[in-house]
Structures are given as structure tokens and as C-alpha cells.
Amino acid sequence: MGVQVSPRTSGALLHHAEVAVPGAAIGLVAGLFAAGVGALAGLPALLNATVGAALGLPLALLGAGYCVLLARGVFSVGAVAPLALYWLVGFPLARLFDSYAVALVFGNDTVLREPLLSFLTLQAMLSFGFTIGFLWLHERIAPHWLLRVRGHNPVAAELVERYMEHAEHLNRRRASRRRPPTAPS
């Protein structure tokens, strides 16, 4: 017997999946970028394809996961520190998966040239740069996507409201900094 999914639950799953599109797209583009860099470096096509898929797919899943967690209120709009912790774990795991996939496709017995802890530590350090790039792209792509789908997607509509509240908060902060101090009477 399979799990029965009510129309309400399946609709919620579809709404969350639609909200996850920007994060998934950023992850896939990151994988394609890595493959493109490899191609420019003259690496074999099979290696570039493996890197593109083996890095892009986990990053896409993690990017989609971020969007779902953002929609569910686990992350605040524009918050860097929680996202940095998310990618501190996720990015090294994606890179480790990528390394294993490359070794598997090419039949190598050795997956890493350095000790696992050294590899994961380096990837954790690199994850902070990825965090900034991911957040920068997400904050420019996601609102446009959410505005486009909010008419039929209540999850997107709620997230658009959170983005609007965040923008109003930022505008109030900017305005309070611009006002000259009032003279004492």
C-alpha cells in the first residue's frame, strides 16, 4: 500500500516545488559553470559533464531546500549567517559527492588526494564565498519569480509578503540614517 496524498497535501507540495525553482536553478548553473571552467582549461568532455552533473545536482537540491526552508520560515529573508551555516555543511558534502562521482566514472581507486578532513575543511572555507554568491543571486532572481507565480501559489504569495516587509524595514532604516538630527529646543 502506498502513501495516500490528499489534494491539499499534493497542492502544497507543488506550491513548495514551484517556490524552490530559483534555488535549484542557481545550483544547476553553478554546476554548469564548473563544467565550463573545466572546458576552458581543456579538460576532457566526459570529465566536464561528470563535474557539471555531479556538482550541479546536489547544489540544485540544496538550493531548492533553502527555498523551501525560507518559505516555511526557517530562514529569514536576506539573513546571511543561517545560510552560511547551511552551506557550511551542504557545500562540502556536494563537493565530496562530486569527487566520488568523478572517481567512479573514471575508475579511480583514489577519490581524494588529501586527507578527508583537510578536503572538508577547505570546502567549508570555500562555502562562505558560495554562500555570498548564492544569496546575492537568489535575492535578485527569487522575488521576480515569486511575483510571477504568486497569483496561483499561496506559498509564493506569503513569501512575497515577507520580502515586502523586509524591503519596508530596510527602507525605514535607510531613512532614519539620512534624517539630520533635530536641534534641541
Side-chain angles (χ1 to χ4, degrees):
M1 293 203 168
V3 176
Q4 292 186 349
V5 178
S6 69
R8 182 179 181 143
T9 305
S10 65
L13 290 173
L14 290 175
H15 293 315
H16 281 86
E18 192 171 36
V19 166
V21 166
I26 294 167
L28 287 174
V29 167
L32 291 175
F33 183 78
V37 169
L40 288 173
L43 296 176
L46 180 59
L47 178 59
N48 293 327
T50 303
V51 167
L55 185 59
L57 292 176
L59 292 178
L61 288 173
L62 288 162
Y66 166 74
C67 293
V68 170
L69 293 172
L70 179 67
R72 297 185 60 83
V74 174
F75 291 114
S76 298
V77 172
V80 177
L83 183 58
L85 292 174
Y86 180 79
W87 285 112
L88 181 69
V89 174
F91 187 78
L93 292 177
R95 284 287 295 119
L96 188 59
F97 178 80
D98 172 52
S99 295
Y100 273 99
V102 168
L104 180 69
V105 167
F106 285 93
N108 295 340
D109 292 336
T110 305
V111 174
L112 301 174
R113 293 184 180 174
E114 64 271 0
L116 178 61
L117 186 58
S118 296
F119 175 84
L120 292 175
T121 301
L122 175 62
Q123 300 311 313
M125 288 189 287
L126 295 174
S127 74
F128 291 110
F130 186 81
T131 298
I132 299 302
F134 179 89
L135 185 60
W136 186 85
L137 281 171
H138 188 269
E139 295 299 306
R140 275 137 192 85
I141 295 169
H144 295 286
W145 174 254
L146 295 171
L147 286 170
R148 186 175 178 175
V149 300
R150 73 178 172 176
H152 66 271
N153 186 330
V155 175
E158 184 179 322
L159 193 49
V160 165
E161 288 303 314
R162 287 181 40 216
Y163 269 102
M164 296 297 287
E165 290 169 6
H166 180 68
E168 289 171 12
H169 171 74
L170 292 176
N171 285 335
R172 283 192 304 272
R173 273 184 36 192
R174 285 185 197 119
S176 70
R177 285 189 215 149
R178 290 184 199 147
R179 275 189 241 134
T182 56
S185 310

